[in-house]
Amino acid sequence: MKLRPIPREKDAQADLSALARAFAALSSPAQVTAFLRDLCTPAELEALSDRWKVVPLLQQGVPYREIHELTGVSVTTTGRVARSLEHGHGGYAVAVAATASTSEST
């Protein structure tokens, strides 16, 4: 009988931290794009892009239905992003501020 290695217990926090460090180590949008294309399926990339696309519209107070009409992103996805903006970990706010300061300095 073939011996199989015993799977180690998953440490979701450590795994997420390792992924975050990989993103943080990248220094250009081109590097991040290449990493994302290798890391994610086309459907995952589309879902991530859709979520990010609705953030500024939500911050401007655009209604969910109008966001759907403008972007094609579902009302359900828009609602999930809105909940994260309101009650999440603050990641969207940090990314918005970081991208705003990057675009202001160029």
Side-chain angles (χ1 to χ4, degrees), residues 46-93:
E46 181 180 13
L48 292 170
S49 297
D50 283 350
R51 291 174 195 155
W52 184 241
K53 185 185 331 183
V54 303
V55 169
L57 298 170
L58 286 167
Q59 290 180 319
Q60 295 167 25
V62 177
Y64 293 12
R65 289 260 172 232
E66 189 175 338
I67 290 173
H68 171 68
E69 291 166 9
L70 291 168
T71 65
V73 175
S74 75
V75 172
T76 302
T77 295
T78 300
R80 286 185 187 130
V81 173
R83 277 191 302 281
S84 290
L85 279 167
E86 255 326 281
H87 308 291
H89 298 275
Y92 281 124

Side-chain angles (χ1 to χ4, degrees), residues 19-28 31-32:
L19 180 60
R21 281 192 305 279
F23 274 104
L26 302 173
S27 61
S28 73
Q31 289 178 341
V32 174

